[in-house]
Amino acid sequence: MAGYDGVHRHLHLPPSTLIVRMRSCARPLRLLRSRPSSAASPGHLAPRATITSATSSPCSTRLLSTKTSPPAPERNFQPQSARTRRQQRTLASLLQIRTCSISASPLTMSASAPASAQQDYRLPTDVKPTHYDLTVWTDLENSKFEGIVHIDLHVNKETSKVILNTANLDLGDVSLQSESLEGVQTASAREFDTANERGIFSFAKALPANAKARLSIAFKGELTGDMLGYYRSTGGKDGELKYTLTQFEPTAARRAFPCWDEPLLKATFAVTLVSRVNSVNLSNMPAVSEEVYKPESADKGSWIAKKLSTLPDPGQWKITRFETTPPVSTYLVAYANGPFEYLESSYKSPLSGKVRPLRIYATADVISQAQFALDIKRMVLPLYEEVFDIEYPLPKLDTLVGLITGRTQAFLLDPNSADIKYKQNVAATQSHEVAHMWFGNITTMEWWDNLYLNEGEAIVFPEWKLDSEFLGSHFFRARALDAKLSSHPIEVECPDANMINQIFDHLSYAKAASVLRMLASYVGEDRFLKGVSIYLKKHMYKNSVTRDLWEGIQEATGLDIPKMMDNWVKKMGYPVITVTEKEGGIHVRQDRFLETGPADPKDNETIWTNPLNLLTVGADGKATINKDILLDEREKFIPLDTSKPYKLNADTTAFYAVQYPAERLAKLGEQAAAPNSPFSLSDRIGLVSDALALSKAGYTSVSSALELISALRNEKEYLVWDAIASNLAAIVSTWWENPEVVERLNAFRRELFVPIVKRLGFEYKESDPYDDVQLRTTAIEQAAEAGDPWVMGELQNRFNHFLKTGDDSQIPSDLTNITFRIAVQEGGQPEWEAVKRVAAKAKTPSQGLAAMRSMGASKDLNIAEDTFKFIMTEARDQDTFFYAGGLMRNFVTRRFLANKFKENFAAFEKRYAGNFGLIRWTEISFGGLSSDKDYEETAAFFKDKDTSKFDMALKQTLDTIKSRAAWVKRSTNELTRWLEQRGSSRL
């Protein structure tokens, strides 16, 4: 999931769908700042693709394996070879995460599955699908679809009933044909289990074991805007263009056609789409034929002929047939219909030398903004082939903006106006989706409790310091969620669709990637990737469980991987390692870390295997990292010279917090701030974030964390400042109802960030180093949010020029978010109306997002009422989270938002039935509250509500309120004293 104010959903297409052009994989992707497309040079992005009106419907699939270097790396730190550094960068990119969308996909246990695995929430295994012939007729004008599916079955056990998944469909004729029965049977009875979304069809004659059969079911449904199943969307300059696409993960394929909608039941699919002649059809595989329907030459007995003969204009429809897919799970099937155009490029396989075409599809008004994503795809595909040692197996790979993600913001980018953060997001999303060609599509988890096997890999951009960036974007977010009593293991039981939908969170994604990153660091990147390659090759086009991945890595390393990793994925939580300095060394002890403080014995039973990654500094001042030491018991003593610098969890690779004695933490701060610090960028980020997490939980004082931040005020690296900024913002947000504390904290923020703004200025140049660009943006945002009059005034002047003239050239793309927010915050109705117009008709997706988020920034509650009314009556369902996030971020409207959600709960419940909406709205509406009264009132409100679809998010949100309230009660006096003593109370 994305943050409070946004959601990114990615739909994975098995044999065909992605976008973007790429460069040579041997070179890192250079981030271009506002470079016109014509300026691309040979060392940068490939020549710009031409825009072509799509007339056929190709889409390809994903599949690959892994390749690694054989030798095991040295266990101690030493200079690295270029190849090792490249593999580390590759691993960092693989472990980057982008949340994937959730739709529907049914599976069934295979015939060989043990009886103990057959649980009530899984489909019976009497029959297993092997192939689907799926025909879908789409009527865009009237928002409806119809079709027929013929499903080839293998009978595992004699049965007269066929049970599969279906939801929100009107089913027509149901028939069963089998040579063993010498004829065709129609269903003698049909039942529907709406709670479990199943159809049960009974037949007069039983199918014998080991027989082959073909089940045929006609169906029809409505094309709604629910973003689930087969649904409609709109686009174009005026928003009037209609198109359709699918969103099946995890359990929504059943909303599009009757099927066995569970990941384990892979089958091949032959898709046929029938549509208007002036539209484009897309599916996973390339189109093998496309022709306008001719009544005189049609097979009169076919379903298509019968359907089109009922229409007044049968000659205005066309039929597109696609190649048969490899065996895939239902959630990977995808198709779309609409007025699409495409950009085209290609890549050359480094393994075989084959050249494959690459396309990205979008509507005509935005297709020119898809070039960057196409470039990314072209770069990462050959790199993934080399890393996994498995060639992409299909003839092509296409991306449809919307088909993979459901959100244009995840793939479209204006090269002349996009900010760096936005470019990173597009690059990350595209790379993540390409990685699904290997993880998830070629090799698929048996059930959703192994979701993280799909989600722990993806992305390759070494220049962006991804391994360190990973800490702020994923690692510490996962730790924050896993520090709650309401957390869940990575591998969590999924008894029904409600639970499946709720596990797409930071634990399924970010914690999974974090513990894999920890494992890779411990065993060595070469051997880790070798093990992943073994795993992929052994399970190509098959299903997998956790032990399969562990076995692959174990084969490559000779280590007992399950012993080390099982508690990390099967148990919730993580430890805090407490360091006590003693004569001759340090004593270390692990206990479960909770955001509410030391865990009770009943919650503190797990013993994790922790790589201590002990960094020590020798007499020559050089740092050495010992990766051999493990803490796999409750406590142990480690001989060590504590008179010299040392640090546990070097490079912040292991998933635990470290609590040092207060004196040692102060020394670490001094050493981290020193010009020739022995601590890496990731070390310094980890020190800041650990200090704040420990103070929030009451393990240490909040003043010790603030002293550490103060010691780092001369830091040069953007990512350390990003950690400082996010942690200070979290403190301010927690004390949001204490104006005195907030203003003193803001004074501290101004002291830290305004000097950076004065040094770097407000203007962005194409020659600016990446770190300067990011640091400038962060410093301006922090200074403005902290109320610095000079910075706020500059931003307001730039917006006023835009308000008067319509010319936004004075607002750099990197500052659009903060400029819009400050303008609405400090302005009135005119500023709000201007931003509203931008949200309705933005130049670029990133500008539109900035406008949506900023509409909630006003201090005027009358304008807040207008914003909420807009959310309820005009905003698209998938955009409401951005507007709500703006209201939550605004202290004046934070409680207003919570009350409005409660007042309109019935409307939200209806609006977001069946998707993630209630999960996001619950987190956004209540996650910013910080008092015991808020906790009690929120819990009481939901007490008599049906929370089954968002129960996990609700419990986590209540835990968040409780921990914030406890922090306020525990630390307000201490925090106030520290701020007063350091002179930050001067206003």
Side-chain angles (χ1 to χ4, degrees), residues 298-369:
D299 176 1
K300 305 301 182 185
S302 70
W303 183 90
I304 293 176
K306 291 178 182 178
K307 174 61 193 174
L308 295 185
S309 67
T310 66
L311 303 178
D313 55 352
Q316 295 302 304
W317 298 83
K318 68 177 180 180
I319 303 165
T320 309
R321 292 183 171 86
F322 297 89
E323 288 183 15
T324 300
T325 70
V328 295
S329 303
T330 46
Y331 80 94
L332 296 174
V333 176
Y335 42 89
N337 172 246
F340 304 124
E341 294 186 359
Y342 64 86
L343 302 180
E344 187 169 32
S345 186
S346 64
Y347 87 98
K348 183 177 181 180
S349 168
L351 301 184
S352 70
K354 290 182 181 178
V355 176
R356 288 182 177 84
L358 306 172
R359 286 183 180 181
I360 181 167
Y361 287 83
T363 52
D365 58 306
V366 294
I367 188 64
S368 62
Q369 297 180 35

Side-chain angles (χ1 to χ4, degrees), residues 129 151 190 214 238 283 293 352 377 401 421 462 474 483 498 648 678 742 771 788 848 854 888 915 979:
I151 310 172
R190 58 174 76 185
R214 168 164 273 214
D238 55 5
S283 188
Y293 176 71
S352 70
K377 183 167 64 175
V401 175
K421 282 282 190 185
H474 303 297
N498 287 335
L648 296 185
V742 167
D771 250 40
D788 181 76
S854 299
M888 184 279 299
N915 63 30
L979 291 169

Side-chain angles (χ1 to χ4, degrees), residues 233-243 339 363-366 837 839-842 874 876:
S233 189
T234 56
K237 286 186 177 180
D238 55 5
E240 297 299 320
L241 280 180
K242 293 181 180 179
Y243 58 92
T363 52
D365 58 306
V366 294
R837 288 192 295 271
K841 199 170 184 179
E874 298 183 55
R876 296 193 307 170

Side-chain angles (χ1 to χ4, degrees), residues 555-766:
E555 182 177 334
T557 63
L559 300 174
D560 189 346
I561 301 302
K563 179 182 178 182
M564 176 179 179
M565 298 303 297
D566 276 355
N567 279 354
W568 287 108
V569 299
K570 295 181 178 180
K571 303 288 186 180
M572 69 173 71
Y574 61 93
V576 52
I577 295 180
T578 302
V579 178
T580 305
E581 296 185 355
K582 297 188 174 182
E583 185 177 350
I586 57 174
H587 176 270
V588 292
R589 174 188 169 93
Q590 63 167 305
D591 295 279
R592 182 179 175 187
F593 178 80
L594 291 174
E595 64 180 358
T596 49
D600 292 335
K602 63 181 176 59
D603 299 317
N604 190 28
E605 297 176 350
T606 303
I607 299 294
W608 290 272
T609 298
N610 302 281
L612 291 183
N613 297 332
L614 178 60
L615 181 152
T616 55
V617 179
D620 58 359
K622 293 184 179 179
T624 301
I625 300 173
N626 186 336
K627 293 189 175 184
D628 289 326
I629 306 174
L630 292 174
L631 178 61
D632 53 3
E633 53 193 314
R634 179 66 70 185
E635 50 195 319
K636 71 189 306 181
F637 180 80
I638 301 171
L640 182 68
D641 182 357
T642 58
S643 67
K644 295 184 174 65
Y646 73 90
K647 180 183 177 294
L648 296 185
N649 200 10
D651 291 326
T652 317
T653 55
F655 199 74
Y656 54 75
V658 182
Q659 180 185 3
Y660 297 97
E663 299 79 8
R664 176 58 56 181
L665 181 62
K667 289 180 182 178
L668 287 169
E670 294 171 4
Q671 292 155 359
N676 298 312
S677 173
F679 302 135
S680 69
L681 170 59
S682 293
D683 282 325
R684 302 197 300 279
I685 295 169
L687 283 171
V688 170
S689 298
D690 263 8
L692 266 294
L694 289 163
S695 68
K696 178 181 178 182
Y699 287 89
T700 59
S701 65
V702 67
S703 59
S704 64
L706 293 172
E707 285 290 355
L708 176 65
I709 288 174
S710 184
L712 292 169
R713 63 175 59 239
N714 294 319
E715 172 67 49
K716 301 301 181 185
E717 290 276 1
Y718 154 69
L719 287 171
V720 178
W721 278 111
D722 184 58
I724 291 171
S726 61
N727 280 289
L728 284 176
I731 301 175
V732 173
S733 179
T734 301
W735 269 267
W736 66 285
E737 291 184 289
N738 189 323
E740 183 181 1
V741 169
V742 167
E743 181 46 46
R744 286 172 173 160
L745 281 167
N746 280 339
F748 181 41
R749 294 164 84 188
R750 294 193 293 270
E751 288 181 16
L752 293 173
F753 289 101
V754 171
I756 298 174
V757 180
K758 290 181 177 178
R759 175 168 63 86
L760 296 176
F762 288 84
E763 302 305 324
Y764 292 78
K765 301 174 184 176
E766 195 169 324

Side-chain angles (χ1 to χ4, degrees), residues 846-920:
S846 59
Q847 186 189 56
L849 287 176
M852 292 179 205
R853 291 172 174 136
S854 299
M855 281 177 63
S858 177
K859 299 175 184 176
D860 185 337
L861 287 178
N862 290 321
I863 293 179
E865 288 280 1
D866 291 340
T867 300
F868 194 82
K869 181 179 179 182
F870 180 88
I871 290 172
M872 300 302 293
T873 59
E874 298 183 55
R876 296 193 307 170
D877 290 352
Q878 62 266 42
D879 292 335
T880 60
F881 314 109
F882 298 108
Y883 300 103
L887 292 169
M888 184 279 299
R889 188 169 187 163
N890 179 355
F891 295 168
V892 175
T893 59
R894 180 170 287 183
R895 183 161 281 105
F896 163 87
L897 175 67
N899 291 334
K900 281 295 183 181
F901 178 77
K902 289 190 282 190
E903 291 171 13
N904 294 272
F905 179 75
F908 282 111
E909 197 172 29
K910 181 179 179 181
R911 185 173 187 176
Y912 292 105
N915 63 30
F916 299 97
L918 283 177
I919 294 175
R920 301 304 304 136

